[in-house]
Amino acid sequence: MIEFDDVHASYEATLPILKGVSFTIRDGEFVAFVGTNGAGKSTTMRLVNGLLKPDAGQVLIDGVPTTELRTSELARRVGFLFQNPDSQICCNTVREELLFGFKALGQAGPEADERVDAIIEEFGFDADDDPFLLNRGARQLLALASIVVLAPPVVVLDEPTTGLDYRECAKVMDIVRRIHERGTTVIMVCHDMEVVADYATRCIVMSDGTVVDDAPTFDVLRNRDTLERASLVPPQIVDLSFELARDMPQLAETAVARANTVDEMLAAVAEEARTTQDVERSVCA
């Protein structure tokens, strides 16, 4: 479990970034942090994995303040995927990259080799490839794999789909969904509301260094006050349901206006059409 208790943070103790942030993330959750640039999301992520310490308040991992945990212990508990994979790739082959974390933690050995072999097969890597010659999407997958192979209970993703095309984005996020289904706690900073809607079950919205909303994802994406305050644009399907409810008030209280996916929208429209036809037939009879 991760807890922020009235956390204040700044860089070089001069520019305040977080201003009294509090929340709790329970084991096994998939939480997205959203908000505009400068809202404090990335700073929050750096506090989670200990790259930054709070100026005031506490950040606790399983009840222990991060200020009392060694860097190696934090690394075992929290895996961190940077926005740019080149910020964390450092070895000459894919296999060496996947083994690097084990060596850094003093865990190299037959078990580490077996886990690396399994990840290479699962992700479809060539073990001898030079990481720096891979395309952007493949480097992002390798950076993600270097975290997954260590099996930390918490994975933090800072804009994991930035710079990826649709196919690459889907591949990365399908891996993320898979590790979440295995029980890993996933914390993700993301500007893409479509990705947030498709994968996260909870949203924490930040603005100007504070938390302005914290609720199930679609409750957040349907809260116009939150969207306006944080300058967020909802996914297209949610935006469409807003527009339908506005332009056709008779749909405001129906499933059409509450649809969260294309499939839900189509099913709701079909059901509304059937209901209308049934009423018309009843009147004619």
Side-chain angles (χ1 to χ4, degrees):
M1 184 165 68
I2 297 168
E3 300 171 83
F4 274 53
D5 181 13
D6 194 26
V7 172
H8 295 253
S10 62
Y11 291 101
E12 299 179 355
T14 56
L15 179 64
I17 304 297
L18 298 191
K19 307 165 186 176
V21 169
S22 298
F23 59 80
T24 297
I25 296 176
R26 294 171 181 80
D27 294 343
E29 286 198 272
F30 193 140
V31 182
F33 281 75
V34 299
T36 57
N37 290 335
K41 305 183 301 300
S42 291
T43 298
T44 300
M45 299 306 104
R46 283 159 174 72
L47 284 158
V48 170
N49 77 341
L51 287 176
L52 184 67
K53 304 299 183 184
D55 296 333
Q58 284 189 315
V59 178
L60 302 101
I61 309 292
D62 296 328
V64 182
T66 55
T67 51
E68 298 177 12
L69 291 168
R70 298 178 58 166
T71 301
S72 58
E73 180 60 25
L74 277 166
R76 289 186 179 93
R77 299 188 188 202
V78 182
F80 194 98
L81 180 69
F82 289 88
Q83 184 172 337
N84 183 351
D86 298 339
S87 297
Q88 61 193 97
I89 292 175
C90 60
C91 297
N92 294 321
T93 69
V94 165
R95 184 175 184 79
E96 289 174 359
E97 188 66 39
L98 294 174
L99 281 169
F100 179 82
F102 291 106
K103 293 178 179 179
L105 294 172
Q107 298 176 351
E111 182 180 348
D113 289 332
E114 290 179 10
R115 286 165 66 176
V116 166
D117 289 339
I119 286 291
I120 287 173
E121 182 176 356
E122 180 180 357
F123 280 68
F125 292 131
D126 184 326
D128 297 322
D129 275 349
D130 183 338
F132 297 102
L133 297 181
L134 299 175
N135 64 35
R136 176 67 165 77
R139 295 200 307 279
Q140 186 77 319
L141 274 175
L142 177 58
L144 177 60
S146 70
I147 296 168
V148 173
V149 72
L150 297 171
V154 178
V155 170
V156 176
L157 312 170
D158 191 359
E159 297 288 356
T161 61
T162 296
L164 304 185
D165 63 26
Y166 177 81
R167 182 184 59 81
E168 292 168 338
C169 172
K171 191 168 185 178
V172 166
M173 291 310 301
D174 282 347
I175 293 291
V176 172
R177 173 177 278 163
R178 198 180 307 164
I179 66 172
H180 176 244
E181 289 173 347
R182 294 172 186 166
T184 302
T185 302
V186 177
I187 304 171
M188 176 178 70
V189 171
C190 190
H191 280 99
D192 189 333
M193 293 299 104
E194 303 287 346
V195 171
V196 170
D198 286 344
Y199 295 92
T201 56
R202 173 183 167 197
C203 267
I204 294 178
V205 184
M206 300 191 70
S207 178
D208 192 30
T210 64
V211 172
V212 297
D213 203 353
D214 180 356
T217 298
F218 282 103
D219 288 353
V220 168
L221 296 179
R222 291 187 172 283
N223 188 324
R224 285 189 175 277
D225 289 339
T226 293
L227 295 176
E228 290 176 6
R229 184 173 179 183
S231 300
L232 296 174
V233 178
Q236 288 183 341
I237 193 65
V238 174
D239 201 31
L240 175 60
S241 67
F242 278 152
E243 295 301 316
L244 285 172
R246 186 194 66 186
D247 296 338
M248 304 176 68
Q250 68 271 27
L251 298 179
E253 302 302 322
T254 71
V256 175
R258 297 189 297 272
N260 296 325
T261 67
V262 172
D263 287 345
E264 286 182 11
M265 175 67 76
L266 292 174
V269 169
E271 179 60 29
E272 191 65 24
R274 281 194 296 270
T275 300
T276 300
Q277 290 172 357
D278 289 343
V279 170
E280 289 176 348
R281 281 195 292 267
S282 176
V283 170
C284 291

